[in-house]
Amino acid sequence: MESQTQYTREEINSTIWEVPEKYTRLKQIGTGAYGSVCSVINVKTTEKVAIKKLHRPFQSEIFAKRAYRELRLLKHMKHENVIHIGVEEFDRWSDLSFHSYLVMPYMFTDLSKVKGLLTEDRVQFLVYQMLCGLRVSLFVHKKSSLKRNDLKPGNLAVNQDCELKILDFGLARHAEAEMTGYVVTRWYRAPEVILNWMHYTQTVDIWSVGCIMGEMINGKTLFKGKDYMDQLTQIMKVTGVPGPDFIQKLDSQEAKSYVRSLPHFPRKDFSKLFPRASAQAIDLLEKMLVLDGETRLTAESALTHPYFDGLRDPEDCPEPQPYDDSHDNATLPLEDWRRLSFKEVKSFVPFPRRDSKRRNTLTISP
């Protein structure tokens, strides 16, 4: 049956947007290689939401597969602390030819734009939400070809109620050549990822959480390396240079020789490195910022740390739902990807929002 939805057409920064007429006051808030994002007002609900327009997602099999995977992942991520498709879909998705649109929750800004030093209760609440969202996204990573998130302040959306959502969970990394040259990303990457020096597990994301937590406490980037080697040096000045047992775990002889050649750096006293932090916060940081990924906390174990005793709620960490990865490594014709995407849209069920019982406020830069 043909949709009765009425659409309006508007040009924003040389891009044509065609959206249901209930969406007004379009304002571009982001753009990238694969799409643009606008904030809009839903006049029927008065709610502000974000709409992502995918640029020509079905122009080739590669683009079509990327669009399908993004749709599946956003649809599957039904957790408050991970970005998801949380509101109704365009019924115009049936015309999957040139452009497609995803409607998502609107978040005011990202963590990199939050002003000043944060009080401990805010740091605690934000890190708790990171770990809750991370726990769910890592479950999906286990069942897909995605290996890790790309956590950094710019990929953590926040609003003025201190609510947080992880924006990037590794979807487009295969098209970004791992972004190893992207300096801001490198500052939050686990040492084993920087040089690919050993097999790494999903605790690489816990390292990133530790870096972000330390930055929120001290108000400055923890490891701000000028290049890959300087990044590793900055890290080891804090963690200390590892001993022979750890060096034996390294995959390459080159990595082993490099670490053996480093001057001796003792592990820093974290209570001096983070003088504003509580004893529990320091203990958590010490267990996240560990050079050996095999001995770092997992997201699951980090959430049981006493630092979060006043926040922990079973409803914040529901059991992750099974993720169907049957098409992750598939090579299909363009029309099959289009058909699969349309099937996902038709089976979409909105994610119900759960109002937070714990309100806090953040000072956000304009």
Side-chain angles (χ1 to χ4, degrees), residues 118-131 162 213 216-217 278 280-281 284 305-311 360:
L118 297 178
T119 58
E120 181 147 46
D121 63 327
R122 292 187 179 96
V123 172
Q124 183 187 50
F125 188 33
L126 289 166
V127 174
Y128 175 73
Q129 292 177 88
M130 283 180 224
L131 292 169
C162 209
M213 180 178 174
M216 289 192 290
I217 291 171
S278 67
Q280 286 185 347
L284 178 61
H305 192 277
Y307 185 61
F308 303 115
D309 282 353
L311 285 175
N360 214 322

Side-chain angles (χ1 to χ4, degrees), residues 292-319:
D292 186 349
E294 293 180 359
T295 61
R296 268 181 228 135
L297 292 177
T298 62
E300 196 91 38
S301 59
L303 284 165
T304 67
H305 192 277
Y307 185 61
F308 303 115
D309 282 353
L311 285 175
R312 204 175 296 110
D313 183 338
E315 289 186 38
D316 296 331
C317 290
E319 280 305 305

Side-chain angles (χ1 to χ4, degrees), residues 78-82 84 164-165 316 351-355:
K78 294 181 178 179
H79 190 277
E80 293 167 343
N81 301 126
V82 183
H84 55 268
L164 176 145
K165 293 185 190 295
D316 296 331
F351 173 57
R353 178 185 172 90
R354 180 168 67 95
D355 287 334

Side-chain angles (χ1 to χ4, degrees), residues 34 148-150 152 155 168 170-187 189 193-194 228:
Y34 308 120
R148 58 187 166 82
N149 294 277
D150 206 2
K152 57 186 176 184
N155 280 342
D168 175 32
L171 179 77
R173 185 167 297 113
H174 64 283
E176 296 173 27
E178 289 285 10
M179 292 180 67
T180 48
Y182 186 33
V183 63
V184 175
T185 297
R186 187 174 65 239
W187 293 340
R189 284 203 169 159
V193 179
I194 295 169
Y228 308 122

Side-chain angles (χ1 to χ4, degrees), residues 210-262:
C211 292
I212 295 165
M213 180 178 174
E215 181 171 327
M216 289 192 290
I217 291 171
N218 281 356
K220 60 182 180 180
T221 306
L222 197 55
F223 304 115
K224 203 170 185 177
K226 300 181 184 72
D227 52 44
Y228 308 122
M229 307 312 286
D230 184 50
Q231 183 72 24
L232 201 58
T233 301
Q234 296 294 329
I235 288 170
M236 290 193 182
K237 283 181 178 178
V238 170
T239 64
V241 173
D245 289 345
F246 175 78
I247 292 172
Q248 280 304 115
K249 295 181 182 180
L250 302 181
D251 287 341
S252 75
Q253 189 58 48
E254 185 181 3
K256 290 178 181 178
S257 299
Y258 171 72
V259 176
R260 288 192 185 107
S261 72
L262 290 170

Side-chain angles (χ1 to χ4, degrees), residues 194-211:
I194 295 169
L195 292 180
N196 197 25
W197 65 4
M198 64 187 296
H199 171 73
Y200 56 84
T201 67
Q202 291 176 345
T203 63
V204 295
D205 294 309
I206 296 299
W207 176 274
S208 304
V209 173
C211 292

